[in-house]
Amino acid sequence: RMDRELLPASGALLYARGHDVTEAPPPGLNVQDVEVYVMRAAPSLPAAIGEALQQGDALFTFFSTRTAAIFTRHAEQASLAS
């Protein structure tokens, strides 16, 4: 459905993306690829996050594999990963 509605004749589609995004848009679409943000990893987990993890009172949702990997690395470095 997306390919039928976003035909090249309809004009360009803006793909506002982050610096670390490497996925290519679907072939055949007229896409204007613009980098609009850069996310930098925090040097460590905030104290409140560490406390929530230690108490087992935390639920986290990640929208990227990069963010999940950074979080896991920080939790392991703080000996909080289970």
Side-chain angles (χ1 to χ4, degrees), residues 11-80:
L13 174 68
L14 174 64
Y15 181 42
R17 64 171 182 81
H19 176 76
D20 294 315
V21 175
T22 58
E23 296 93 19
L29 295 180
N30 181 9
V31 177
Q32 179 67 40
D33 184 341
V34 179
E35 180 182 314
V36 295
Y37 66 91
V38 175
M39 297 297 295
R40 290 183 174 76
S44 62
L45 291 178
I49 300 296
E51 291 169 12
L53 285 169
Q54 287 175 331
Q55 295 171 5
D57 191 26
L59 174 66
F60 301 96
T61 302
F62 301 104
F63 296 98
S64 77
T65 55
R66 178 179 177 261
T67 301
I70 291 167
F71 180 89
T72 300
R73 185 176 68 241
H74 286 330
E76 288 171 344
Q77 289 170 346
S79 300
L80 298 170

